[in-house]
Amino acid sequence: MGPLYRLRMLTKRHGHKAALSIAGLDIFEGCIYSLTGPNGSGKSTLLGILAFLSPPTSGTLHYDGKPVEWKGRSLVPLRQEVTLVHQSPYLFEGSVYSNLAFGLKVRGIPEETQRSRIGLSLETVGLSGFEERRARALSGGEAQRVALARALALAPRVLLLDEPLANVDGRSAEVIRLVISGLPGRGTTVVMTTHDPDPPSCLNGEVIRLEEGRVSAPPGAPETPVISMRG
Amino acid sequence: MDFFLESLKASWSLILSLDRELFRAVWTSVYVSVWSIVFAALLGIPAGLAVGLLEVPFKRTVITGLNSLMAVPTVLIGLLVYGFISRQGPLGGWGLLFSPSAVIVGDALLAAPIVANYTLSSIRGAHAAILPTAMTLGAGRLRSVLKLLSEIRFGMMAAVISGFGRVISEVGVAMMLGGNILGYTRTMTTAIALETSKGEFALGIALGIILMSVALLVNIVFQILQRR
Ligand SMILES: Nc1ncnc2c1ncn2[C@@H]1O[C@H](COP(=O)(O)OP(=O)(O)OP(=O)(O)O)[C@@H](O)[C@H]1O
Ligand SMILES: [Mg+2]
């Protein structure tokens, strides 16, 4: 089986600044990838591309064996398989419940199923009973977990997490780590950024290290133009 | 001081007796302002959204330009519209000059940049994340934009209200394009200017009180919306 994502000679510029320049990178289904690197190394930029939210400036991206055409309509079905939880997530006006329901409604999932999935997702992140709370009035850590639950409720094929552990206290971080490490068992591929110098071993996935927009080979490994990582 | 107090007393009796001339001016002001803000919103909201959301060329320059337009003096707008709709102007045949419609056109042009700028600023900052969030949750283009509009509805209402506050209190456009015709284009502000210059201080004060109340009310609503 080929990789889920295949990136080749991929670059992304913001104005004149080259934010990303990846010669080659493969991401395989059912693995957990930790994306590390200093501030401004292009981690969020890469996640934005993997989420089909912002097109690369040049290069090719294959998803599920097919080249991605960066045209409006063709991206919607791809975005329905891949969900990104932003570094500082935006929660919609209204209740926590309506936040979690948004993506389910978009997919035309019946209301009964919505209700049970929402309850389950909130329970998973340790926020049972938060359904009727006003989302915009939550604390930073609570909001982070609601955003995670909002993505989990969609049972995405790929879950992209930008600093999921940044705002949360130690106990919640444990909970989130546990949730994440259980995801490959449910068939979900995870790519998460982290500032942990050595990402938690319980996640036992692969590490992709970015430096100034380039994938730097893991320490000790010989530099290769294409870095394949298989879990 | 006696003169002032006398006038104040007289002004209250004008208000309480529902003086016809007074309320005609109030009505004209409200009528003209409501219509002009409707047109300003139809121009300004899409313009603000377009600049904020689309990849427009020279975006920074466009934003600066939009900002500067807020500072255009009312008499300049009056002059410009006058040039178009006066007898010799390109639209002279429409006979708009010195009609409420002329004031509506001028006031709409005055308020549109205000509405556009407030709309623009309501989709920046944290709100810039609304579209990507809706899209990554699987929503299509239309649904994402609808979500955005519903998220920033208070910002858009604030934009409209601040534009309304501007047009109801301005005098330059109303004077130059309306001509302060009694019972037709006389608004609160032009009436205050005229009555005061005639020495009819009481009517001026009465109108001033009403104008202040309207402005205060608008401001309170604006503050409430801003706090959301
Ligand atoms: N919208 C933008 N416009 C201009 N430059 C941008 C934009 N977004 C990112 N950049 C630049 O691109 C580079 C990569 O940014 P990115 O956000 O991907 O870094 P990051 O690795 O996620 O950093 P952090 O650890 O701080 O989150 C940075 O130098 C940043 O300044
Ligand atoms: Mg980042």
Side-chain angles (χ1 to χ4, degrees):
Chain A
M1 194 183 67
L4 186 56
Y5 285 98
R6 171 183 288 259
L7 290 69
R8 290 295 178 271
M9 307 308 288
L10 199 90
T11 70
K12 174 80 184 182
R13 308 186 143 273
H14 291 298
H16 291 294
K17 190 175 187 321
L20 207 60
S21 169
I22 294 178
L25 178 68
D26 291 343
I27 289 169
F28 289 89
E29 190 145 29
C31 300
I32 296 181
Y33 292 86
S34 298
L35 193 53
T36 69
N39 290 135
S41 55
K43 301 183 296 295
S44 299
T45 305
L46 178 57
L47 289 188
I49 293 172
L50 297 180
F52 309 112
L53 287 174
S54 95
T57 311
S58 68
T60 56
L61 171 66
H62 281 72
Y63 175 78
D64 205 9
K66 289 179 281 291
V68 177
E69 314 251 359
W70 293 90
K71 292 197 197 88
R73 270 186 204 292
S74 67
L75 293 173
V76 177
L78 300 182
R79 288 190 192 126
Q80 297 206 344
E81 291 191 5
V82 179
T83 302
L84 167 66
V85 180
H86 285 89
Q87 200 159 0
S88 24
Y90 181 91
L91 296 184
F92 301 125
E93 200 64 65
S95 66
V96 167
Y97 187 91
S98 68
N99 265 273
L100 269 71
F102 180 78
L104 297 168
K105 272 196 197 132
V106 165
R107 287 162 175 76
I109 287 169
E111 219 155 297
E112 275 302 291
T113 320
Q114 283 184 29
R115 189 164 294 280
S116 61
R117 278 222 222 165
I118 290 171
L120 204 63
S121 309
L122 285 175
E123 195 187 319
T124 306
V125 299
L127 292 179
S128 286
F130 270 59
E131 280 90 343
E132 297 314 319
R133 293 276 288 270
R134 196 177 149 220
R136 302 296 296 277
L138 296 175
S139 79
E142 288 166 347
Q144 188 98 29
R145 284 146 74 195
V146 167
L148 179 62
R150 186 171 64 177
L152 288 174
L154 305 175
R157 188 168 176 193
V158 182
L159 186 59
L160 306 168
L161 304 169
D162 206 345
E163 305 277 352
L165 305 175
N167 266 321
V168 295
D169 58 40
R171 233 171 50 114
S172 309
E174 262 332 295
V175 172
I176 292 177
R177 273 201 187 90
L178 212 64
V179 173
I180 294 171
S181 56
L183 285 171
R186 292 167 40 184
T188 299
T189 307
V190 180
V191 183
M192 58 181 281
T193 69
T194 167
H195 275 300
D196 265 337
D198 44 5
S201 58
C202 74
L203 297 181
N204 62 44
E206 302 288 343
V207 178
I208 304 169
R209 188 170 167 77
L210 282 181
E211 231 151 307
E212 293 181 357
R214 288 163 198 283
V215 177
S216 64
E223 184 111 23
T224 48
V226 175
I227 295 166
S228 285
M229 292 189 223
R230 183 162 269 249
Chain B
M1 203 59 212
D2 271 0
F3 164 67
F4 198 84
L5 286 177
E6 282 302 309
S7 308
L8 200 60
K9 237 170 72 191
S11 74
W12 273 114
S13 56
L14 278 174
I15 294 175
L16 295 177
S17 69
L18 303 175
D19 180 79
R20 229 181 126 248
E21 197 179 312
L22 181 109
F23 277 92
R24 178 76 210 209
V26 174
W27 165 246
T28 306
S29 269
V30 170
Y31 165 85
V32 160
S33 303
V34 165
W35 274 110
S36 57
I37 203 63
V38 166
F39 290 118
L42 290 177
L43 283 174
I45 290 179
L49 290 175
V51 174
L53 297 177
L54 303 178
E55 298 279 333
V56 291
F58 306 109
K59 195 163 184 155
R60 215 174 284 264
T61 319
V62 171
I63 291 174
T64 311
L66 216 52
N67 258 302
S68 318
L69 279 181
M70 287 209 294
V72 172
T74 54
V75 287
L76 218 63
I77 292 173
L79 199 65
L80 182 81
V81 178
Y82 194 104
F84 271 89
I85 65 174
S86 68
R87 289 265 168 271
Q88 300 94 323
L91 304 179
W94 296 10
L96 281 180
L97 190 60
F98 302 137
S99 71
S101 306
V103 185
I104 290 172
V105 170
D107 277 348
L109 291 178
L110 174 69
I114 299 173
V115 175
N117 274 296
Y118 272 99
T119 304
L120 179 60
S121 58
S122 76
I123 53 173
R124 302 178 102 191
H127 293 78
I130 297 172
L131 277 186
T133 300
M135 290 194 297
T136 199
L137 293 173
R141 186 87 200 153
L142 178 67
R143 199 153 191 162
S144 302
V145 170
L146 289 179
K147 189 69 184 171
L148 171 81
L149 292 180
S150 111
E151 289 292 300
I152 64 164
R153 61 190 186 277
F154 293 112
M156 287 192 296
M157 273 155 74
V160 165
I161 283 166
S162 68
F164 184 83
R166 180 80 179 97
V167 295
I168 202 160
S169 60
E170 73 83 31
V171 63
V173 167
M175 192 65 100
M176 288 178 74
L177 301 176
N180 194 25
I181 300 165
L182 178 63
Y184 184 46
T185 59
R186 180 162 300 175
T187 64
M188 283 191 270
T189 53
T190 58
I192 291 172
L194 177 79
E195 299 304 328
T196 308
S197 68
K198 281 197 321 195
E200 292 283 347
F201 211 50
L203 188 56
I205 290 184
L207 285 161
I209 290 171
I210 296 177
L211 184 59
M212 275 278 289
S213 318
V214 173
L216 208 66
L217 192 74
V218 167
N219 209 29
I220 289 170
V221 176
F222 182 73
Q223 293 294 331
I224 291 172
L225 287 177
Q226 287 285 291
R227 231 176 294 142
R228 303 267 328 193

